[in-house]
Amino acid sequence: MATENCDAVNMDPDMDLLSDEELEREAEGFKEQGNAFYIKKDYAEAFNYYTKAIDMCPKNASYYGNRAATLMMLCRYREALEDSQQAVRLDNTFMKGHLREGKCHLSLGNAMAASRCFQRVLELEPDSSQAQQELKNAESILEYERMAEIGFDKRDFRMVVFCMDRALESASACHRFKILKAECLALLGRYPEAQSVASDILRMDSTNADALYVRGLCLYYEDCIDKAVQFFVQALRMAPDHDKARLACRNAKALKAKKEEGNKAFKEGNFEAAYELYSEALTIDPNNIKTNAKLYCNRATVGSKLKKLEQAIEDCTKAIKLDETYIKAYLRRAQCYMDTEQYEEAVRDYEKVYQTEKTKEHKHLLKNAQLELKKSKRKDYYKVLGVDKNATEDEIKKAYRKRALLHHPDRHSGASPEVQKEEEKKFKEVGEAFSVLSDPKKKSRYDSGQDLEDDGMNMGDFDANNIFKAFFGGPGGFSFEASGPGNFFFQFG
């Protein structure tokens, strides 16, 4: 039976004068009042009256069972667990006591202990549907724990969060599950959610080392390294053997130091050293997405200084993959695309930047890229002549002389019709290029991306021979002489 004979306890002098029967009657009165408040859902008052009943008769299992039920409604599961355990110690056949102990274990995430309690209930009452259901819930939690462990080892953090959400439906007060969920949320970059879970735990237990660690982890991954270290140190103060906090603290300090060394080398113009230091920093913690995105962008900046443009583009792409909102990485990659004449890609990046931040500077960069893209789709007269875009007038003339003589149709009169056609086309392009680049006004319009047709120059009616004759002094100024099959030399008058 749940009810035991009450033993008087030395609390109130007046109680010493009461008989066991009177104590039991008064305790029952307190219990009934507690029941009335429980029904009204006034659990705080119910707790007070059940406590008075226990004070009167501390060996009555049902009083502890009732107070345990009240504490459960107040979500004070650890205290409820103690009362439930005391109830079944007093009466091992107290079925409700075992059931409540199991529910407390389950709420606190102790699924194995909960299973033992529910199995004891089923020994006492084999047809208890409630115990059968709770036993299934405990088994489900054990399975979710197993799946979460596998998921964490495989770095499938979304799976872990899913498993912990399911487990917390039954184990709502389990800090261990909440911490694991928060840690995985942080590893997924969902920092506000992770911070919220950790903060909820710290409000209940300000010394919880795991929650302090997660708070630090969120700050660390948000690149607030100094603040993160403070939380890691505090966690280690509460739990000196906290391996994760120790590792994170060490990584945070190492990452900060290496990044600062790289920045110092860059400012001093020591780009090779900066490149190596940023590369070393990137090996410290692959999980730190935000800091690593900055490191990739920093290395791309150094790479562009070292003329490693393709590597710089690759680093910017890695930075963007880690942080799709990282404007600086888009700008750096776009500039590298401009430097390598990949104008379509540059326009795409500048459009992304301008859509995000509509500044005058970004608008100017986009328009410039669009202009270069437009210019790139025309014939590149500089390439046709084989000169740099900053070539002087003399360099342009020398280049024309060389290319015009190389592709002149008379030089290829003995070649196949296909070769003759191709050389004639090149000869015409050379003359076209020279006619534009040798004229300051046309060259200026060409360099600015304007259409040359606006000057009345129709390239379709262009005669390369006239340019050639004018350049070499008119008829009789030169002739081609054959010295053998396929060999020519030029004779100037």
Side-chain angles (χ1 to χ4, degrees), residues 229-264:
V229 169
Q230 292 175 10
F231 275 97
F232 294 144
V233 169
Q234 194 175 351
L236 289 167
R237 194 175 296 126
M238 299 300 162
D241 296 329
H242 201 296
D243 292 336
K244 288 184 177 180
R246 184 181 294 106
L247 176 62
C249 190
R250 185 164 64 242
N251 283 347
K253 290 178 178 178
L255 199 55
K256 181 187 177 186
K258 195 66 69 174
K259 183 182 175 185
E260 288 177 350
E261 284 182 58
N263 292 346
K264 184 173 182 289

Side-chain angles (χ1 to χ4, degrees), residues 33 56 70 77 162 171 176 180 241 254 316 349 354 367 372 411:
Q33 286 177 282
M56 286 285 184
T70 304
Y77 294 103
F162 170 81
R176 181 166 51 89
L180 180 56
D241 296 329
C316 288
D349 277 353
Y354 187 62
K367 283 192 170 183
E372 291 300 323
R411 184 178 183 183

Side-chain angles (χ1 to χ4, degrees), residues 50-61:
Y50 289 139
T51 301
K52 288 180 180 181
I54 289 170
D55 290 341
M56 286 285 184
C57 292
K59 292 189 178 181
N60 187 304

Side-chain angles (χ1 to χ4, degrees), residues 354-394:
Y354 187 62
Q355 287 168 5
T356 306
E357 295 181 359
K358 289 182 166 60
T359 67
K360 288 183 179 179
E361 180 187 359
H362 295 160
K363 186 177 182 179
H364 172 73
L365 290 168
L366 174 58
K367 283 192 170 183
N368 184 55
Q370 289 170 332
L371 175 61
E372 291 300 323
L373 175 60
K374 178 183 176 183
K375 287 161 64 175
S376 71
K377 293 184 181 297
R378 308 171 307 173
K379 290 180 182 176
D380 188 337
Y381 290 144
Y382 291 101
K383 283 186 178 179
V384 169
L385 291 181
V387 295
D388 186 79
K389 290 183 179 180
N390 298 317
T392 63
E393 185 179 347
D394 283 344

Side-chain angles (χ1 to χ4, degrees), residues 194-250:
Q195 291 264 32
S196 177
V197 174
S199 296
D200 286 344
I201 293 172
L202 288 170
R203 273 192 289 272
M204 293 182 282
D205 178 9
S206 62
T207 63
N208 189 295
D210 291 323
L212 291 166
Y213 159 70
V214 170
R215 283 293 305 275
L217 197 65
C218 291
L219 290 165
Y220 170 55
Y221 286 154
E222 289 182 292
D223 202 33
C224 300
I225 292 180
D226 288 334
K227 288 183 179 179
V229 169
Q230 292 175 10
F231 275 97
F232 294 144
V233 169
Q234 194 175 351
L236 289 167
R237 194 175 296 126
M238 299 300 162
D241 296 329
H242 201 296
D243 292 336
K244 288 184 177 180
R246 184 181 294 106
L247 176 62
C249 190
R250 185 164 64 242

Side-chain angles (χ1 to χ4, degrees), residues 112-226:
M112 288 292 291
S115 294
R116 288 192 291 271
C117 293
F118 299 136
Q119 286 166 354
R120 175 59 178 155
V121 173
L122 290 172
E123 289 173 9
L124 296 169
E125 192 175 314
D127 295 330
S128 173
S129 59
Q130 190 175 6
Q132 290 169 357
Q133 182 56 53
E134 294 293 358
L135 185 58
K136 288 180 181 177
N137 292 340
E139 290 169 352
S140 295
I141 287 178
L142 289 171
E143 178 61 18
Y144 285 129
E145 283 191 82
R146 187 188 68 80
M147 291 168 60
E149 185 177 353
I150 293 171
F152 196 91
D153 289 342
K154 291 182 176 180
R155 302 185 62 78
D156 186 353
F157 302 124
R158 285 184 177 82
M159 172 58 76
V160 179
V161 171
F162 170 81
C163 289
M164 290 301 95
D165 278 337
R166 299 290 80 75
L168 284 164
E169 290 173 2
S170 297
S172 58
C174 181
H175 286 181
R176 181 166 51 89
F177 292 168
K178 290 178 180 179
I179 287 295
L180 180 56
K181 174 185 173 180
E183 182 178 2
C184 290
L185 286 170
L187 291 166
L188 288 168
R190 293 160 62 179
Y191 307 121
E193 295 172 74
Q195 291 264 32
S196 177
V197 174
S199 296
D200 286 344
I201 293 172
L202 288 170
R203 273 192 289 272
M204 293 182 282
D205 178 9
S206 62
T207 63
N208 189 295
D210 291 323
L212 291 166
Y213 159 70
V214 170
R215 283 293 305 275
L217 197 65
C218 291
L219 290 165
Y220 170 55
Y221 286 154
E222 289 182 292
D223 202 33
C224 300
I225 292 180
D226 288 334

Side-chain angles (χ1 to χ4, degrees), residues 262-316:
N263 292 346
K264 184 173 182 289
F266 179 79
K267 288 176 183 176
E268 293 173 352
N270 191 348
F271 301 132
E272 290 286 358
Y275 193 92
E276 288 304 315
L277 287 164
Y278 289 139
S279 298
E280 290 173 19
L282 281 164
T283 66
I284 292 172
D285 186 359
N287 292 324
N288 197 321
I289 293 171
K290 205 157 191 174
T291 302
N292 287 344
K294 291 181 179 180
L295 288 168
Y296 275 121
C297 193
N298 286 1
R299 193 170 73 173
T301 301
V302 177
S304 64
K305 294 284 186 183
L306 295 169
K307 303 303 178 185
K308 299 177 179 179
L309 295 175
E310 289 302 326
Q311 287 175 271
I313 289 171
E314 186 179 337
D315 276 346
C316 288

